[in-house]
Structure formats: structure tokens, C-alpha cells
């Protein structure tokens, strides 16, 4: 996440920087910078001859860069966590994308991203295996009265095997993100391709839609607050029927899973518990529907008592899966912890996974998908 | 194109600016700026309180912005041509993307783009018609020894009509662009969807691959010059067989077309004339294989005499189509003009189209595709 409150640090205080920097794997073609070293420091470089002050803004900290005689500014961050981070440059007070990086949608904007190579990056590496197709589909929603879009992962050989039908995972992004995230910085394509090639996951279709959906009248009413979301309605009444019509899906509840990250975990827990006739698998990555979790969960009232009958929940949910990064902000531990406490008291079966040394960021969610997908449709 | 040599102009010299600016249609979600007015001026706005000088760099001209008391810089360009333009901001000497716009690959970088509404924009507008799916496909090239990618337009109802087969157009980008351009700023999806819905074009598959393809040894040899392109080999030996295997194509030469813009026009004219057994339709948008056209074309030697036998060319090429924007740089008029002169002398049939008041930019190429696609597979 981009920090709203940011420290300012001089890059020069980073003594003993290891000089083994290499170009980031998500640089624009032919760009030398940004670079990453073995410690996970990010070094940026930009020509700005007339600037007073240039900073690298990453992980909630602003690092001052140094200017050389040619007007080129360079500097590096402290070591960052493994995985993917959004960042930006600050040039004399202007926050802008780094012209060296590729751009991603997150934190409410298209902006720079960088990849700190992870020790387990092989599970989302490009390998010599059969690959999927990602399809981009636009549709008009009669509920929101606007054009919407989803990306759909079609497993390897979908086009060649013209008879075979597949189960479907509906996979949602988080707040200030959109339908592009999972198939881009999320690496859904490579994670599933690799799992399928190694026989660890079943071939499946994955639908990545946009979790923001509002009726026109909701936008009017909401001028003084948050509009009422119609995402559940759009997903249940429009997206699922469209997907089942367009693609060769299996459409029983045992062949349909749902998962989401952060806001998406919250939305999808509510959706599955309201629609147990439609889904049999739930994955909550860094969140549950009790977020921000200021009170203990009362199972008699939480989601209209959906978790109050443990036998029914255990029978209906073939997988109830929760994942969290060990470096996430406290609020996520509290939210997920409260849910786990409730589930244990009630005797509700669930699986809990911790992503080592990652925060509320994409490496946590890549790992969650990697774990969760292996449990589906078996 | 981004100008390498740029004029610098004070934004304040633009007197009598029409104050009917509206947010650009390709802004990031929720962003008010950049804006465009009815004259086609682009107004940008960025907070940079400590900056000395901020400029808008568009159409080869840099326009100085003005700072207000809050440290916010604003200013506008002279009127721009209708259509799509790349641009950037310059903050104290740093050339960076505008954080308000969406980003596109062109001019050798991911950067800002803006849309000046065109009088004929309806042909690439989102309409209530049946829509395509764009699929993203990755493949390993045994020729270049690396992973490559293409985007494939599948016409409306491709998935639902599981028996129907379609003809294929191979459509190439220009220099310093990539395989993303045609399906993004090129609007291939909307142009074809609208043409198909109105019955003006046949349903077809469109393959958009990357025109840069080099063998590893070519990169070694090329340290002192341009590497030898292997794109023709990749297209003929890998892409076409893969597409014909994966998708429900018709694979006779009468069901296969090729076209490209600028560098892509050059490449694809050579490819079709080397492979008349594979293609029956050629489209050259802002270019031909004689670019940069310093000498008149000698049909006995040009492309190994491929145009020397007019009867054969007229029999084999069901469509030989050339298009050009009326505001393109002189070199493109000369190149295409020389080709036309040769074709007329030889009695070779061709169609020539001029895009009114557009330069070497995407509105020219959108219009070319719109015209050309109507002639295919009929």
C-alpha cells in the first residue's frame, strides 16, 4: 500500500548498500532502472536537472535521492519485503509514476510497481508448461446500467478440447483495485498453469470481475456517504449466468468456488453465505466479512446468523479457507482472529494459512491463491 | 509521436481559450484532469509546489504551465488534431507520465495518452451490440528462444457457436509499439464489433502479435547495427500454425489477410509477397516495404521482383489496400506515392484511402482498419 502518512529518510543513511543491483523484472522494455539488490533495496534513477528535491516513495517511506553533475538523481530504499510493491517518485512535490517501471492498478491509481524476488517465486514463474488464455470480456449490466468488464482464465487446451467442461472459481480484488489485478500483478495465469501442469490443481476457469458495482440511484443517494454496493446482485444475476452460457462450465454448486482478497474477502464471504446453493468453496485472503472487526463476532447476528448452525456450514462448505501475511497491519489479524475464534467455538471447520514475512500486498495473495487452488474441486 | 526536437511555448500565449473543457475519456478512474475542450486543446494540472518549471509536452511542442498559490500547475496546449496522442509532463527537466491519464505503449515507452474527440468517433464507440472477447496468449518461440505473446480478437458468439469457423486477419503494430496497441488505443475490438453488428464486415478472427523478433545470435551480431528480424519466420512457422490449431479458423489463402501500420505495413507487404500461397489480402496503413523510399521503385528488383508480374499480383491479391493520413510527414507520402506510381505504371490494382486531417497517429490507423476490414473475405 502507498502510505498516506509517510516518513522522509535520507537515502545516504543506508550505509553498506550491497552493490549487486539488477534491473527489476517489471521494468519497461530496455530500461536499466529501477533496480533491486539482494537485500531487497530498490534503487531508482531519473534525470531532473532543474529539480530541488527528488524522492523515492515506497512502503510508506520517502527516501531522498542525490543529484550528480549531469542532473541525474539516484538513490535507494531500505530493504523491502519479498514480493510486489507499488511505489512512486516525488519530484519537487509532484507524485508521479517512475518512467522506468511498468504500471499497475492499485491504491486507486495506475502507477509504478516493483518486484523484490521472493525465495519461493518459482510457483509464479514462467515455465515450459502448457499455458492458459486470459480473455477480456465486456458486458452491459442491466443492474448498474453501465458497461463492465471481466477477465477470464481459460485453462490450457480449453480451445483445443472442444467438449470438456470445467469448474469455475470467482476471484475478487481488494479495495482501490480493479479487475486487472489478479491477471497482472496477481499472476493468476502462471500460478494456475504451474499448478495444473504439476497435477496439484484441477483444470478450472477463473473469473475476475470488478467488485465495484452501484445502481445509478445508489450514486445519487450516496452524496453524503458510501453508496450501497450491488456487486452481489451483479455477480449472481448477471456474471454467473453469462459465464455459464458463454464458456464450457460445470455449473453445480460443487463445481463453483469463490474467493477474494481484503475487500474481496469481505464481499465474497457475504456472497457465499447468502448463496450456499451456488458455491461450495470459500477463500478469504487477508479478510473476512467482519472487517474492520471492532467487536467480537456474535454468530447469531453475524451475516444474519449464517455461521450459527455449524453442522450446516460444515456440510455445505467443502473448503472454508483463510489466509494472512505475518506482517499485515494489526486490524487484519484482529478481524481474521475474531472469525477464527468464533469458528472454533462453534466447531466450524476451516483451514488457516500464514504467508511468511509478507504484508497486505500481492505476494501474500499469490501465495493464498497457490494454496487455496490446490484444494478446489476435489 | 513524441517529438525528439521540441519547441517550447508559453501556455499564456493561447489567448481566447474556449472554456468548455471536459475530462478526457481516457483518464484514470475519478480523475478530473487532463481535460480537452471543443477546440482540441489539452489542459493538464499537477501539484508540484516546489517546482521551478512544469511543461506539457505534446505534438512535438512543450507548453509552459502556470503555478497558483497552492503550488498547483495548470496550462493548455494549442488545438490538437482529432484522435489519440501520446504526451508527457516535464517537471524541472524530468519527463514523466501524467498521473491523471491512463497509460499506453508507444514511442518506445508506457506513457500518457489523450483522446481528442473525433467527428467520426462513432465507428469506434462502445455500442449496444454483441461484443468480442480479446484473448491473451503466450507461447515459446523455438526461433527466437523466448516467450512471446499475442492478443487474439474472437468475434461475438465465438464461444457460443462451437462449430463455426472464421477467416483470420493478422494485424501488426508500428515501430516502438508492441502487441498491445491494436487492442488498446487501436480499438480493434470496438471497430470490428460495430462493423460486424451492422453487417459491413464479415465475422473474423484478428491476431495481433509482436513485430519484433530476433534470434539470439542476431542480437549478438548486431552489437554495431540493427539485428536481422526473424518476424516473418516466427509468423509463418509458429504463429499461423498455432492459431490454426488453437482456434476455429478457415485456413485457405482466401481466408487469410494481413495488414500493418508503418513498420508493420513494411513488414507485412514483404511477408505477403513472399507467401502468396498463404494470404490473399494486404493492407498497408501509413507505409509500404520501400520505406523510407529514397529512390523510385524498380519493380524488377523491389522485393525480388514480386510486383513485376502485374497479372499474377492482380490474380493473387484480392485486395491491395493503402491508407495514409493527410497530415503525415512527407516521407510517408513519398514512400506510398512511389509505390502507387509503380503500381499504376505496371497496371496493378490497388485501393488508396486518405484519412482527413490526421498525422502518423492512431486515428489514421483506426480509420484504415475500419475501411480495410469491410473489404475482407468477400
Amino acid at each position: 500500500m502507498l502510505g498516506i502518512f509517510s516518513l522522509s529518510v535520507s537515502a545516504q543513511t543506508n550505509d553498506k548498500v550491497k552493490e549487486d543491483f539488477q534491473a527489476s523484472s517489471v521494468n519497461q522494455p530496455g530500461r536499466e532502472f529501477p533496480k533491486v539488490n539482494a537485500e531487497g533495496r530498490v534503487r531508482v534513477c531519473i534525470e531532473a536537472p532543474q529539480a530541488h528535491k527528488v524522492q523515492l516513495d515506497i512502503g510508506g517511506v520517502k527516501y531522498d535521492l542525490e543529484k550528480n553533475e549531469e542532473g541525474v538523481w539516484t538513490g535507494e530504499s531500505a530493504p523491502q519485503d519479498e514480493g510486489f510493491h507499488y511505489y512512486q517518485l516525488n519530484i519537487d512535490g509532484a507524485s508521479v509514476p517512475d518512467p522506468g517501471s511498468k504500471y499497475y492498478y492499485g491504491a486507486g491509481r495506475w502507477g509504478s510497481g516493483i518486484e523484490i524476488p521472493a525465495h519461493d517465486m518459482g510457483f509464479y514463474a514462467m515455465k515450459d508448461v502448457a499455458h492458459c488464455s486470459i480473455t477480456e470480456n465486456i458486458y452491459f449490466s442491466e443492474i448498474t446500467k453501465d458497461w463492465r468488464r471481466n477477465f477470464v482464465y481459460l485453462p490450457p487446451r480449453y480451445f483445443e478440447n472442444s467438449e470438456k467442461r470445467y469448474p469455475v472459481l470467482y476471484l475478487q480484488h481488494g479495495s482501490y483495485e480493479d479487475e486487472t489485478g489478479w491477471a497482472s500483478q496477481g499472476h493468476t495465469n502462471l500460478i494456475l498453469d504451474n499448478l495444473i501442469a504439476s497435477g496439484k490443481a484441477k483444470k478450472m476457469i477463473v473469473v475476475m470481475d470488478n467488485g465495484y458495482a452501484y445502481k445509478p440511484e445508489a450514486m445519487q443517494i450516496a452524496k453524503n456517504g458510501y453508496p450501497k454496493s450491488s456487486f452481489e446482485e451483479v455477480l449472481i444475476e448477471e456474471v454467473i449466468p453469462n459465464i455459464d452460457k458463454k464458456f464450457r462450465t460445470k455449473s453445480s454448486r460443487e463445481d463453483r468456488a469463490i474467493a477474494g482478497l481484503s475487500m474481496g474477502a469481505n464481499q465474497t464471504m457475504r456472497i457465499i453465505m447468502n448463496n450456499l446453493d451456488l458455491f461450495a468453496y470459500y477463500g478469504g485472503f487477508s479478510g473476512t466479512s467482519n472487517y474492520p472487526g471492532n467487536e467480537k463476532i456474535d454468530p447469531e447476528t453475524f451475516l444474519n446468523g449464517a455461521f450459527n448452525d455449524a453442522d450446516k456450514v460444515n456440510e455445505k462448505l467443502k473448503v472454508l479457507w483463510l489466509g494472512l501475511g505475518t506482517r499485515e497491519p494489526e486490524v487484519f489479524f484482529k478481524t481474521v482472529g475474531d472469525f477464527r475464534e468464533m469458528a472454533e467455538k462453534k466447531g466450524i471447520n476451516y483451514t488457516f494459512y500464514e504467508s511468511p514475512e509478507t504484508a497486505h500486498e500481492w505476494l501474500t495473495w499469490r501465495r493464498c491463491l497457490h494454496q487455496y487452488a490446490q484444494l478446489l474441486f476435489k
Side-chain angles (χ1 to χ4, degrees), chain A residues 187-305:
Chain A
H187 291 322
T188 298
N189 53 346
L190 299 172
I191 293 169
L192 268 291
D193 289 348
N194 289 336
L195 282 175
I196 289 168
S198 64
K200 289 181 181 166
K202 295 274 188 190
K203 279 193 174 183
M204 65 184 84
I205 290 170
V206 185
V207 178
M208 297 158 278
D209 209 288
N210 189 309
Y212 292 101
Y214 306 103
K215 293 180 184 176
E217 58 267 31
M219 300 304 284
Q220 295 299 320
I221 297 165
K223 280 188 176 159
N224 300 317
Y226 291 103
K228 181 179 178 296
S229 171
S230 292
F231 177 63
E232 178 173 340
E233 206 175 329
V234 169
L235 184 75
I236 301 298
E237 295 177 22
E238 297 185 323
V239 179
I240 292 177
N242 287 344
I243 293 292
D244 283 340
K245 191 174 158 198
K246 183 166 184 173
F247 299 104
R248 298 192 311 275
T249 64
K250 294 181 178 175
S251 58
S252 75
R253 66 179 297 281
E254 287 79 15
D255 291 306
R256 202 179 287 119
I258 192 165
L261 75 89
S262 195
M263 176 184 87
N266 185 328
Q267 291 178 308
T268 56
M269 178 180 275
R270 182 179 303 270
I271 290 170
I272 192 171
M273 300 315 289
N274 283 348
N275 299 276
L276 285 171
D277 55 324
L278 293 180
F279 305 91
Y281 300 85
Y282 170 74
F285 310 163
S286 304
T288 65
S289 292
N290 57 313
Y291 180 87
N294 292 321
E295 293 176 14
K296 295 285 175 192
I297 294 176
D298 176 355
E300 293 199 15
T301 56
F302 178 58
L303 297 183
N304 300 318

Side-chain angles (χ1 to χ4, degrees), chain A residues 33 77 372:
Chain A
F33 286 93
S77 72
Y372 175 67

Side-chain angles (χ1 to χ4, degrees), chain A residues 129-140:
Chain A
V129 299
H131 286 285
C132 68
S133 292
I134 300 284
T135 76
E136 177 187 347
N137 308 279
I138 54 178
Y139 62 98
F140 188 81

Side-chain angles (χ1 to χ4, degrees), chain A residues 105-119:
Chain A
Y105 193 74
R109 90 287 183 266
W110 284 96
S112 291
I114 198 156
E115 193 73 55
I116 310 296
H119 71 280

Side-chain angles (χ1 to χ4, degrees), chain A residues 52 60 80 129 135-136 162 178 231 250 310-311 339 342:
Chain A
H52 297 277
Q80 303 293 304
V129 299
T135 76
E136 177 187 347
S162 65
D178 70 9
F231 177 63
K250 294 181 178 175
D311 289 343
F339 183 88
M342 179 277 289

